[in-house]
Amino acid sequence: MAQKVVIALGGNAILQPKQQATYENQIANIQKSCEVIARIVRQGYEVIITHGNGPQVGNILRQQDEAKEVVPPFPLHVCSAESQGFIGYMMDQCLKNELQKLGLNQAVTSILTQTEVSLKDPAFLNPTKPIGVFYSEEEAKRLAEDKGWVVKEDAGRGWRRVVPSPMPQSIVGADVIKSLASQGAIVIAAGGGGIPVSRQTDGTLVGVEAVIDKDRSGYQLAQDVQADIFMILTDVQNVYVNYGKPNQKSLETISLEEAKRYADEGQFSVGSMGPKMESAIGFAEKGGMAIICSLDQADLALEGAAGTRIVQDKLLRCIYANFRNENKCSRK
């Protein structure tokens, strides 16, 4: 049976730093990303894709803010759905085109995905995730009073709205995503961490004002669809310890025990590699392989020739044997 891989694309796969957020720039970046994903499909993997949406949902919020006197603004969870829709469309189209170039005919589908969170999550008591445009202190405090927002000063650049970033509890519709992937379809799902929803006492779902970390949501998706591999694609080729120091070292294949030790040492920064390693460690704890690598080396990382791989101790011998083509154990 083919291995199932969940690929979590970083923000640079859609919009590069300092690039203007035009349609032309974003679809050009997505096309490059899809060239790599198509090569992974050609390798024979079942592929599920998730992606970030930070700049995109921020721009949607800005558009609404600029037009608020003409068109009533929508809540944050609806803006998240809007970003999922247009990114999913571009990714769906580009991937189909790249597959056609390779002579592959797999179906591609983008699923508008909700992610369940708990309103009891401590994040709702301490919103920390900045979103949207910058305001003056006076305007920010007025909006906070008028709309019930929480606002905070953001690194000397101005005041912004902040929202909770709760932990994902489950991916709504994961069984459908899993079924489609098992039938050979490439599924794009849970973009931007998924649309945050909470379950009411009667079992119904309702949208909530929150932002879910895309790496944590990707981990949840990988768990819920029972993936074999969880791959986080970013803008660095490897995870490093002692980063920026003379004794800096890149990590290749490491055990779960090693990964936890490095995390406990504080090797991975909270605002950068920390959430990625947290999610990768969590997936490896469940018995899968987690990979963190650069986008352009994703297909090589799956072959063991690039990136950082985290596995349980008992799998290390199998991993090394497979890399040497000794065929001493199965991929499972």
Side-chain angles (χ1 to χ4, degrees):
M1 293 179 62
Q3 283 190 299
K4 186 185 288 98
V5 55
V6 169
I7 300 173
L9 294 169
N12 64 325
I14 304 169
L15 189 66
Q16 298 286 333
K18 298 182 180 180
Q19 269 191 325
Q20 189 175 4
T22 63
Y23 164 78
E24 290 78 12
N25 283 339
Q26 293 181 83
I27 199 163
N29 290 328
I30 289 172
Q31 182 176 340
K32 292 177 183 177
S33 303
C34 288
E35 289 173 4
V36 179
I37 295 170
R39 295 201 299 266
I40 292 173
V41 173
R42 185 171 57 182
Q43 290 176 328
Y45 291 93
E46 292 180 9
V47 174
I48 297 169
I49 305 162
T50 187
H51 58 81
N53 73 341
Q56 291 77 23
V57 78
N59 286 333
I60 291 170
L61 289 167
R62 182 176 181 180
Q63 288 172 337
Q64 295 205 80
D65 186 69
E66 295 288 340
K68 62 181 180 292
E69 303 301 328
V70 180
V71 180
F74 285 160
L76 176 58
H77 50 90
V78 177
C79 296
S80 177
E82 184 177 340
S83 70
Q84 267 195 32
F86 83 75
I87 295 172
Y89 154 65
M90 290 192 289
M91 196 166 291
D92 181 303
Q93 185 180 87
C94 288
L95 187 52
K96 283 174 178 170
N97 290 341
E98 292 305 317
L99 292 172
Q100 183 179 1
K101 291 177 186 177
L102 295 177
L104 303 173
N105 61 359
Q106 279 90 336
V108 181
T109 186
S110 178
I111 295 183
L112 201 64
T113 313
Q114 302 172 70
T115 300
E116 186 178 347
V117 299
S118 170
L119 293 180
K120 296 180 180 179
D121 191 300
F124 285 100
L125 300 176
N126 181 33
T128 58
K129 182 68 174 177
I131 61 166
V133 300
F134 290 90
Y135 300 99
S136 67
E137 181 176 0
E138 180 182 2
E139 187 176 10
K141 291 182 176 179
R142 178 181 60 78
L143 288 167
E145 183 176 349
D146 292 346
K147 299 189 176 186
W149 288 359
V150 177
V151 295
K152 291 183 180 179
E153 197 273 336
D154 186 3
R157 297 178 296 175
W159 287 68
R160 298 175 78 187
R161 180 187 178 190
V162 293
V163 297
S165 184
M167 295 292 289
Q169 301 295 307
S170 67
I171 304 298
V172 180
D175 52 342
V176 176
I177 297 168
K178 179 182 176 183
S179 176
L180 287 168
S182 68
Q183 295 175 58
I186 301 156
V187 186
I188 304 159
I195 304 161
V197 296
S198 66
R199 195 170 297 276
Q200 308 299 289
T201 54
D202 63 358
T204 58
L205 298 171
V206 62
V208 297
E209 297 291 277
V211 171
I212 304 170
D213 180 89
K214 68 180 185 303
D215 296 316
R216 290 171 175 165
S217 179
Y219 158 69
Q220 189 66 51
L221 175 63
Q223 280 295 109
D224 288 357
V225 301
Q226 298 178 313
D228 300 288
I229 302 169
F230 175 41
M231 172 175 278
I232 299 175
L233 304 186
T234 182
D235 56 357
V236 295
Q237 294 184 354
N238 290 80
V239 179
Y240 295 88
V241 292
N242 303 316
Y243 184 73
K245 300 178 181 178
N247 60 341
Q248 173 179 300
K249 181 178 73 171
S250 64
L251 303 179
E252 296 180 359
T253 301
I254 61 171
S255 69
L256 182 59
E257 181 181 357
E258 288 176 281
K260 287 182 174 180
R261 184 174 75 249
Y262 290 136
D264 290 341
E265 291 174 358
Q267 292 279 359
F268 313 119
S269 61
V270 173
S272 178
M273 192 56 69
K276 293 175 175 57
M277 283 299 292
E278 171 193 296
S279 298
I281 288 169
F283 187 74
E285 278 185 315
K286 303 295 185 181
M289 182 198 294
I291 300 174
I292 299 176
C293 66
S294 63
L295 169 64
D296 61 336
Q297 294 188 323
D299 51 335
L300 296 175
L302 283 168
E303 296 174 349
T308 298
R309 295 163 296 282
I310 304 169
V311 295
Q312 285 190 348
D313 294 344
K314 67 182 180 180
L315 292 179
L316 279 174
R317 187 181 65 83
C318 294
I319 298 301
Y320 289 130
N322 281 330
F323 289 167
R324 296 193 301 266
N325 295 317
E326 295 177 4
N327 298 317
K328 288 184 178 179
C329 47
S330 67
R331 282 182 167 180
K332 290 299 241 180

